[in-house]
Amino acid sequence: MAEITVTPQSSLADRPVQVQVRGLSPSQLVTLRASLTDEQGECFQARAFFRADAAGEVDPGRHAALGGSYAGVWPMGLFWFLQPDTLFRRLVKRDVAGSPFLVRLEVFDGLRLVTGPQDQPLASCEAERWYMGPGMQRVPIREGRVRGALFLPP
């Protein structure tokens, strides 16, 4: 039975995570998909095609993606190559302190350019991507025409 994991499951958005799929057949072709819905309800997705190794595992940090949103060995490719379903939308986190982005990771059998509601993943999991660590303080800056935020550590 296939299993997909992300380690750590909860992390800051600028920290690397490790995605691993286990329990596949040796040399099985699979599609890994990452998706999230932003605070405006816009969906972003990335997908990559992989061939499982002899142990039935896929690790984007060790195995090259054969195509999809990217090709080659990119440990964070599923996160870095997220694209909007609607053209000209940008992935922006507005509530940086209150909630994380929830990234859903799924693995599908075969090469899937599109997936519909009838397509069931072999396995799935969620990763939390936070933009502020515990104890951080966010101070808005408004000085003349300058706008920004100062983040102070605890």
Side-chain angles (χ1 to χ4, degrees):
M1 179 167 198
E3 175 189 27
I4 184 169
T5 59
V6 59
T7 309
Q9 185 270 331
S10 182
S11 65
L12 291 173
D14 64 345
R15 299 285 192 249
V17 295
Q18 182 179 25
V19 176
Q20 289 186 310
V21 181
R22 292 185 178 93
L24 301 171
S25 301
S27 300
Q28 181 177 354
L29 285 171
V30 294
T31 300
L32 266 62
R33 180 177 74 175
S35 61
L36 69 83
T37 302
D38 73 4
E39 296 150 330
Q40 306 300 314
E42 189 64 43
C43 187
F44 292 77
Q45 296 185 55
R47 69 187 70 240
F49 311 130
F50 291 92
R51 182 178 299 280
D53 63 14
E57 297 180 356
V58 169
D59 179 346
R62 294 185 298 121
H63 304 117
L66 307 173
S69 300
Y70 66 95
V73 178
W74 290 81
M76 294 292 295
L78 291 169
F79 295 86
W80 291 341
F81 290 95
L82 287 166
Q83 294 295 314
D85 285 353
T86 305
L87 292 177
F88 308 115
R89 300 290 183 165
R90 288 185 22 200
L91 183 58
V92 176
K93 182 71 171 133
R94 299 197 192 291
D95 179 17
V96 296
S99 64
F101 270 143
L102 295 176
V103 181
R104 183 166 180 79
L105 298 162
E106 299 169 300
V107 59
F108 294 91
D109 185 34
L111 306 179
R112 306 283 177 108
L113 290 173
V114 290
T115 48
Q118 74 280 4
D119 295 314
Q120 293 298 313
L122 299 173
S124 65
C125 71
E126 271 193 348
E128 293 180 352
R129 303 294 281 171
W130 290 89
Y131 280 76
M132 275 182 60
M136 292 289 293
Q137 182 183 2
R138 182 180 186 270
V139 180
I141 305 294
R142 297 180 69 93
E143 188 67 38
R145 293 181 0 197
V146 175
R147 302 288 183 266
L150 173 65
F151 292 87
L152 298 171

